[in-house]
């Protein structure tokens, strides 16, 4: 009988899912300095996170058993030969693992995923995918993970070297995330993707304050925002995958409004917005003219008050009642 020796992760380890490019972006002081944003698309997409790497010896062919509980009452299994790579584990969560072969079962170890936000996800051939959850919000609460995912379109993405759209491997991840609703924010003239067994909601939106002259502040745009937030109040719609083309502007604007309404810290809202810089779309920047105009326009809804109050009043002007906003908060926070 083989004796299985566990190698990685080390017992009690804190495992980072950040790549070097993402770590450098997290710690970069340049984002906080005034500068003109680079609008040219990037040549490399750096939005894919690192996996957790499991290694063992003593049984070349076996499977990793992974659980969120020490009794392994619920497990996921990953077959491999001496090592396995696992994506999309949840920041801040503790996991338990062991390796089983036909003849042997290893000891149990635990590790914790580093609480690095935003939570970046891997769906093969898609760009800029991340979880809108886990962020801390006011009232000593946090946003639930796994409720709203944001990212780029599901069709082929010409800017990516391998952007072939949601392929067979990607669909497996899509199902693992249990996505029920595809919320498509693109205009009517852009591509339409319809995935079987997923509710497809085409709700064209816009961005900022100056995009297409009026951004989200015209009566027509406000009606679209009302429809989007009405969807967010439907608890049967979750989990939701929300996207435009690259997942930066239209998606970023709606994500900002939703996060502000829920009570996210302003710096977290900006950091989440700017994380699209790691995609191929070009820089999103707190100093850009479109973003400053957006913030100035929001300020008109509650001059000098915190951005949450400004957004709450803006949403009310869209016809999204306090009751509806509270319902969304009830669904998305814990």
């Amino acid at each position: 009988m083989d004796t299985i020796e566990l190698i990685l992760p080390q017992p009690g380890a804190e495992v980072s899912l950040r790549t070097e490019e993402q770590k450098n972006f997290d710690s970069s002081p340049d984002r906080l300095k005034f500068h003109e944003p680079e609008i040219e698309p990037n040549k490399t997409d750096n939005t894919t996170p690192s996996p957790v790497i499991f290694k063992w010896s003593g049984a070349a062919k076996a499977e990793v058993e992974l659980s969120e509980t020490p009794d392994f009452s619920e497990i996921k299994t990953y077959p491999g030969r001496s090592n396995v790579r696992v994506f999309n584990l949840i920041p801040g969560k503790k996991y338990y693992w062991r390796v089983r072969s036909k003849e042997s079962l290893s000891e149990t170890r635990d590790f914790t995923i580093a609480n690095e936000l935003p939570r970046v996800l891997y769906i093969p051939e898609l760009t800029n995918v991340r979880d809108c959850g886990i962020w801390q919000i006011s009232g000593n609460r946090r946003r639930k993970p796994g409720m709203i995912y944001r990212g780029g379109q599901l069709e082929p993405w010409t800017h990516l070297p391998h952007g072939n759209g949601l392929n067979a491997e990607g669909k497996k991840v899509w199902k693992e995330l249990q996505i029920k609703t595809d919320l498509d924010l693109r205009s009517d003239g852009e591509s339409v993707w319809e995935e079987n067994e997923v509710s497809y909601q085409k709700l064209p939106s816009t961005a900022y304050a100056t995009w297409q002259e009026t951004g989200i502040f015209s009566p027509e745009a406000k009606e679209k925002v009302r429809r989007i937030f009405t969807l967010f109040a439907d608890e049967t719609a979750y989990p939701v995958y929300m996207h435009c083309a690259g997942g930066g502007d239209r998606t970023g604007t709606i994500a900002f409004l939703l996060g502000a309404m829920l009570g996210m810290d302003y710096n977290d809202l900006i950091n989440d917005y700017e994380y699209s810089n790691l995609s191929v779309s070009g820089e999103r920047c707190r100093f850009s003219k479109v973003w400053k105009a957006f913030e100035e326009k929001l300020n008109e809804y509650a001059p000098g008050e915190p951005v949450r109050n400004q957004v709450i009043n803006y949403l009310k002007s869209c016809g999204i009642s306090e009751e509806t906003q509270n319902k969304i908060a009830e669904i998305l926070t814990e």
Side-chain angles (χ1 to χ4, degrees), residues 8-76:
L8 289 176
Q10 292 288 333
E14 182 179 76
V15 180
S16 173
L17 305 183
R18 289 291 197 256
T19 63
E20 285 303 311
E21 293 83 2
Q22 291 163 3
K23 289 178 181 178
N24 291 338
F25 184 81
D26 286 339
S27 61
S28 172
D30 294 335
R31 286 196 291 140
L32 305 179
K33 299 176 183 178
F34 178 80
H35 64 280
E36 292 294 332
E38 294 287 340
I39 60 174
E40 292 297 320
N42 300 328
K43 295 182 179 179
T44 305
D45 185 84
N46 291 314
T47 61
T48 299
S50 291
V52 177
I53 299 176
F54 297 89
K55 289 186 178 181
W56 66 91
S57 64
K61 186 177 181 180
E63 62 182 18
V64 170
E65 296 182 343
L66 185 65
S67 178
E68 297 180 16
T69 59
D71 62 359
F72 289 83
S73 55
E74 294 186 10
I75 64 172
K76 292 184 178 180

